[in-house]
Every structure is written in structure tokens, then in C-alpha cells.
């Protein structure tokens, strides 16, 4: 399993994010109340925000190092990021959204057809491929956004409260799809939520954030 190393400090006016964590598990959960810095942490890993100090590494690959002057742009980090709002392209159908990441990076779609088929099967998207995104439910949009992110073959997948926009009944139906990603694809996940039940279902290790700082760590129950 590839280790994700995060040792960063980022200051934003009165708020300071300070996280030091090395994780070599399939799913690292990030838990905390609203405003604790969960999304800021994901955006820092993804390259959307730049820390003031520290280092971010995936395995031996340095994504950010203040000391060495390294700050890879988001497009070069090989990080998949699914924000709370799935941000699908409304002018494309489901198939077009899934394929966008590969085409945007100028990769051949033919080379990833086996992966595409696997994702469509794991995330149960076969009957949705020709559907416009405006006609998708919140849970369906999240599944499409996850497939699109995984099509880029990321080293790590960041999920920011992927079930926050759906009700409890739909959460219980969607969570098994995410568990299949963990089981079948073995892509390391960083999974953000404020729902302890979700973390108990999916995470191997959890860090607890409050006001930008890690205040606790726990293993899967």
C-alpha cells in the first residue's frame, strides 16, 4: 500500500491548518465538525491550496515541499478529487462525463477501456450512460463523479463528504459501491465526513480534526 505523508501548516486569516500524518492504509478517514478544516486539508493535498510550510508525499513522490521549492500543479499530482458538489458537466451525458478526465489529459480512451468497464460495473452505471446529468439523483451524480475521477488512474482518491447530499436510505445504498472501490481497485482513499457511522463502515484509520488541528487518532472499530 502506498503511504500518504502530510506534514503541512496553512494559515488563512485567523484560521490555521496544521496536520502531520503518515497513512499507509486503504482508507484514511477525516472526521470533524463543520469549519474544522476537513475540506481545506483535501484541497491542500489536491493542489488547490498551497501550504505555508511542510511537505506532501505519495510514496516517494514529492507533491509539495516548502524547503525544496516543489509545488506540483493539481493536474500533475495524479490525485483524484471528488468535492461535495459533484460538479458534473451539464452539456455532457453520463458517458461523456466519465470519459472527460481521460480525454482532457490527452490519453487514449482505448487504453483504459478495461478500467472503464470495471468502473461502470462496480458503480452500477450501465443503465445511466446516455442519461443527461440534469436527470440524475444526488447519489447517481456522486457515483458518476467518482467514476470520472478514477478514470484518470489516480494514486490517491479524495472524497469530500460524498454522501452528504443524499438521505439516509440512499446513503445505505451508495456506501456499498464505495466499499467495492476499496475492495476491488485498491486505490487509497481519503474519506472526509462528519458522520461517524460512515467512518465505522469504511475507514481503516481516522484522524479527528478540530479548528484545523489533529486532536485524536483511532483505528477502525
Amino acid at each position: 500500500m502506498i503511504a500518504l505523508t502530510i506534514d503541512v501548516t496553512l494559515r488563512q486569516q485567523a484560521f490555521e491548518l496544521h496536520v502531520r500524518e503518515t497513512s499507509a492504509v486503504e482508507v484514511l478517514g477525516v472526521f470533524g465538525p463543520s469549519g474544522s478544516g476537513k475540506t481545506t486539508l483535501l484541497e491542500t493535498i489536491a493542489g488547490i491550496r498551497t501550504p505555508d510550510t511542510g511537505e506532501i508525499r505519495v510514496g516517494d513522490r514529492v507533491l509539495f515541499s516548502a524547503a525544496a521549492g516543489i509545488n506540483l500543479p493539481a493536474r500533475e499530482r495524479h490525485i483524484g478529487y471528488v468535492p461535495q458538489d459533484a460538479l458534473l458537466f451539464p452539456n455532457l451525458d453520463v458517458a461523456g462525463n466519465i470519459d472527460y478526465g481521460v480525454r482532457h489529459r490527452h490519453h487514449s480512451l482505448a487504453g483504459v477501456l478495461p478500467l472503464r468497464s470495471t468502473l461502470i460495473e462496480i458503480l452500477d452505471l450501465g443503465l445511466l450512460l446516455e442519461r443527461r446529468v440534469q436527470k440524475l439523483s444526488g447519489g447517481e451524480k456522486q457515483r458518476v463523479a467518482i467514476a470520472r475521477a478514477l478514470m484518470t488512474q489516480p494514486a490517491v482518491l479524495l472524497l469530500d463528504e460524498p454522501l452528504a447530499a443524499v438521505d439516509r436510505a440512499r446513503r445505505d445504498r451508495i456506501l456499498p459501491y464505495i466499499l467495492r472501490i476499496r475492495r476491488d481497485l485498491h486505490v487509497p482513499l481519503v474519506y472526509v465526513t462528519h458522520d461517524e457511522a460512515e467512518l465505522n463502515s469504511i475507514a481503516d484509520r481516522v484522524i479527528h480534526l478540530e479548528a484545523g488541528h489533529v486532536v485524536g487518532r483511532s483505528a477502525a472499530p
Side-chain angles (χ1 to χ4, degrees), residues 9-212:
T9 299
L10 185 152
R11 300 176 184 88
Q12 298 178 133
Q13 299 177 342
F15 179 81
E16 179 180 279
L17 176 74
H18 179 71
V19 174
R20 174 179 285 182
E21 177 70 20
T22 296
S23 171
V25 296
E26 287 188 345
V27 183
L28 174 66
V30 182
F31 175 79
S34 296
S36 61
K38 302 187 300 297
T39 296
T40 300
L41 174 60
L42 291 194
E43 291 180 345
T44 301
I45 298 169
I48 298 170
R49 296 179 186 268
T50 302
D52 296 289
T53 62
E55 183 178 84
I56 302 171
R57 286 186 285 113
V58 176
D60 295 328
R61 188 167 183 260
V62 179
L63 308 185
F64 171 83
S65 172
I70 297 171
N71 186 20
L72 296 183
R75 66 182 179 276
E76 295 180 10
R77 292 196 176 198
H78 306 306
I79 299 290
Y81 179 34
V82 180
Q84 291 184 40
D85 185 339
L87 298 177
L88 300 178
F89 300 105
N91 59 313
L92 300 176
D93 60 14
V94 167
N97 272 276
I98 292 172
D99 298 341
Y100 177 84
V102 175
R103 289 174 171 153
H104 182 64
R105 292 172 185 261
H106 308 292
H107 294 163
S108 168
L109 184 59
V112 293
L113 284 179
L115 173 63
R116 186 181 191 271
S117 297
T118 298
L119 292 174
I120 288 170
E121 191 270 325
I122 288 176
L123 294 166
D124 196 18
L125 297 173
L127 297 179
L128 302 178
L129 294 177
E130 297 181 1
R131 189 173 299 180
R132 309 300 292 186
V133 298
Q134 296 89 338
K135 296 184 178 180
L136 299 177
S137 68
E140 289 167 344
K141 289 178 181 178
Q142 284 294 338
R143 283 153 49 200
V144 174
I146 291 170
R148 182 178 64 186
L150 287 169
M151 279 287 286
T152 65
Q153 300 176 283
V156 179
L157 178 64
L158 313 178
L159 299 177
D160 191 357
E161 302 206 39
L163 306 184
V166 300
D167 59 34
R168 174 60 64 183
R170 288 189 176 89
R171 289 186 193 193
D172 292 341
R173 291 198 294 268
I174 296 169
L175 191 57
Y177 295 116
I178 299 175
L179 289 169
R180 284 202 63 188
I181 291 170
R182 166 190 166 144
R183 185 189 72 201
D184 296 350
L185 298 183
H186 303 292
V187 176
L189 307 180
V190 180
Y191 191 101
V192 161
T193 184
H194 59 268
D195 188 316
E196 286 190 270
E198 286 179 40
L199 288 178
N200 290 340
S201 298
I202 196 169
D204 302 299
R205 177 177 172 83
V206 178
I207 60 173
H208 301 251
L209 282 184
E210 286 187 14

